Amino acid sequence: MNLTFEGSKNYVASEELMRSVNIAIALQKPLLIKGEPGTGKTMLAEAISQALGKKLIIWNIKSTTKAQDGLYVYDVVQRLYDSQFGNEGVDDIGKYVKLGKLGEAFHSDEQVILLIDEIDKADLEFPNDLLWELDKMEFYIPETKETVKAKQRPIVIITSNAEKELPDAFLRRCIFHYIEFPDAEQMEEIIKVHFDHVEENVLKQVLATFYWIRGLYNIQKKPSTSEVIDWIRALELGGVPASKIKEAVPFAGVLLKKNEDIDTMRKFLK
């Protein structure tokens, strides 16, 4: 299988990234994608799903997420409630077991794309707790004495914002790729994917201003791809002429999300 993204929409991938995707698929290993927000990590899984015509299952990780959540949940409270009210089928424990996102991917008759999104949001033990399941593609449910094995090995994409280091044992089992933030030329391609037409001078001023702001010293939260897309929409809706974009940075709150960053930008504008 040699994947390209020609059939996917709204995604621009480098040749190196496409090679990493293909290697991960060929070696049947999870692909770990790192990069700052706005580099298209989550969109990569969507693009792979579109390009291969396969279902995408997304497991959004939060600070409270445990590995068990992705396998299955046993609703013991509902079972107790049903037993108290004499509901039928209480002895069928399987009725109260619901598969999580990983379990859903394993249970699918067809191969799916499984996105484990922002794995570094969870605690440090979370990645290690998934090692067996990702290696063996199976897990055991003691309540039902059932082993759930993957019918088709899913293509696993894992994203990280590099907010914390991941365990070495986990890293050894992944194919790793770091997505650099797009340069001006790549960003122009991305913008043109999202807009049918942007006046050339406007696009030039937008890119110059955007990268100028990202390069300012002491900017705490640099604007990302989603912000520049929203900013162009705001500029179009506001009818802002190209000459005013760099000069005044209208709708700066679309780009910058912290008061301190807006103050820093305005100080350099003076």
Side-chain angles (χ1 to χ4, degrees), residues 36-48:
E36 68 174 273
T39 50
K41 301 186 298 298
T42 301
M43 289 180 65
L44 171 64
E46 296 171 355
I48 295 172

Side-chain angles (χ1 to χ4, degrees), residues 211-222 256 260-268:
Y211 283 97
W212 170 73
I213 290 174
R214 280 184 56 86
L216 288 177
Y217 179 69
N218 275 350
I219 289 290
Q220 297 178 31
K221 188 181 185 307
K222 296 180 180 180
L256 299 171
E260 299 88 342
D261 289 344
I262 292 177
D263 290 341
T264 297
M265 182 204 69
R266 285 175 177 164
K267 181 172 66 176
F268 281 95

Side-chain angles (χ1 to χ4, degrees), residues 1-6 8 11-34 39-54 56 111-115 153-159 174-179:
M1 180 185 298
N2 188 26
L3 175 68
T4 67
F5 295 105
E6 293 176 359
S8 62
Y11 194 80
V12 178
S14 68
E15 289 186 12
E16 184 180 355
L17 175 54
M18 285 192 287
R19 283 197 294 269
S20 295
V21 172
N22 285 320
I23 288 296
I25 293 174
L27 296 180
Q28 296 186 327
K29 288 181 175 289
L31 175 62
L32 174 61
I33 300 292
K34 279 191 178 182
T39 50
K41 301 186 298 298
T42 301
M43 289 180 65
L44 171 64
E46 296 171 355
I48 295 172
S49 172
Q50 291 177 9
L52 295 179
K54 296 181 182 295
L56 173 62
Q111 187 183 49
V112 300
I113 313 298
L114 173 64
L115 170 62
R153 176 179 283 266
I155 296 171
V156 181
I157 310 297
I158 303 170
T159 71
C174 298
I175 303 298
F176 174 78
H177 183 86
Y178 184 85
I179 299 183

Side-chain angles (χ1 to χ4, degrees), residues 79-97:
R79 188 182 181 212
L80 179 61
Y81 177 86
D82 289 348
S83 66
Q84 288 176 336
F85 288 90
N87 292 346
E88 294 183 2
V90 175
D91 292 337
D92 182 7
I93 297 178
K95 282 178 51 178
Y96 303 95
V97 172

Side-chain angles (χ1 to χ4, degrees), residues 15 58 116 132 152 199 202 216-217 237 244 252:
E15 289 186 12
I58 302 176
I116 304 176
W132 171 270
Q152 300 287 339
E199 198 270 314
V202 168
L216 288 177
Y217 179 69
L237 289 170
K244 294 291 183 181

Side-chain angles (χ1 to χ4, degrees), residues 19-263:
R19 283 197 294 269
S20 295
V21 172
N22 285 320
I23 288 296
I25 293 174
L27 296 180
Q28 296 186 327
K29 288 181 175 289
L31 175 62
L32 174 61
I33 300 292
K34 279 191 178 182
E36 68 174 273
T39 50
K41 301 186 298 298
T42 301
M43 289 180 65
L44 171 64
E46 296 171 355
I48 295 172
S49 172
Q50 291 177 9
L52 295 179
K54 296 181 182 295
K55 179 183 176 181
L56 173 62
I57 295 175
I58 302 176
W59 185 10
N60 291 305
I61 306 304
K62 301 178 181 178
S63 60
T64 56
T65 302
K66 303 298 180 185
Q68 176 70 33
D69 301 336
L71 307 182
Y72 73 96
V73 175
Y74 172 43
D75 194 346
V76 65
V77 175
Q78 184 63 49
R79 188 182 181 212
L80 179 61
Y81 177 86
D82 289 348
S83 66
Q84 288 176 336
F85 288 90
N87 292 346
E88 294 183 2
V90 175
D91 292 337
D92 182 7
I93 297 178
K95 282 178 51 178
Y96 303 95
V97 172
K98 180 181 179 183
L99 294 177
K101 297 297 184 180
L102 194 61
E104 184 183 337
F106 285 6
H107 195 257
S108 175
D109 290 325
E110 297 183 357
Q111 187 183 49
V112 300
I113 313 298
L114 173 64
L115 170 62
I116 304 176
D117 203 20
E118 298 189 329
I119 194 171
D120 51 335
K121 279 188 175 180
D123 64 40
L124 289 174
E125 292 305 313
F126 178 86
N128 280 337
D129 289 344
L130 286 177
L131 289 180
W132 171 270
E133 288 77 17
L134 291 178
D135 264 355
K136 304 300 181 182
M137 286 287 145
E138 65 179 50
F139 61 89
Y140 181 67
I141 304 177
E143 289 83 2
T144 60
K145 298 180 174 55
E146 174 191 8
T147 297
V148 177
K149 296 185 178 182
K151 296 179 180 179
Q152 300 287 339
R153 176 179 283 266
I155 296 171
V156 181
I157 310 297
I158 303 170
T159 71
S160 168
N161 289 331
E163 293 179 0
K164 65 180 71 163
E165 288 298 320
L166 298 173
D168 288 344
F170 179 79
L171 294 174
R172 284 195 295 270
R173 288 163 170 80
C174 298
I175 303 298
F176 174 78
H177 183 86
Y178 184 85
I179 299 183
E180 298 283 352
F181 195 83
D183 60 23
E185 184 177 341
Q186 292 170 322
M187 185 61 74
E188 183 174 342
E189 287 185 56
I190 293 170
I191 290 171
K192 287 180 177 178
V193 166
H194 287 268
F195 294 91
D196 293 333
H197 175 74
V198 179
E199 198 270 314
E200 196 63 33
N201 198 29
V202 168
L203 181 57
K204 180 180 177 181
Q205 292 300 314
V206 162
L207 290 172
T209 306
F210 175 71
Y211 283 97
W212 170 73
I213 290 174
R214 280 184 56 86
L216 288 177
Y217 179 69
N218 275 350
I219 289 290
Q220 297 178 31
K221 188 181 185 307
K222 296 180 180 180
S224 64
T225 307
S226 60
E227 277 88 25
V228 76
I229 298 298
D230 289 341
W231 192 43
I232 293 173
R233 292 194 178 105
L235 293 171
E236 288 184 339
L237 289 170
V240 178
S243 59
K244 294 291 183 181
I245 293 175
K246 180 68 164 65
E247 177 184 320
V249 192
F251 311 116
V254 178
L255 285 173
L256 299 171
K257 310 301 182 180
K258 290 179 175 284
N259 290 339
E260 299 88 342
D261 289 344
I262 292 177
D263 290 341

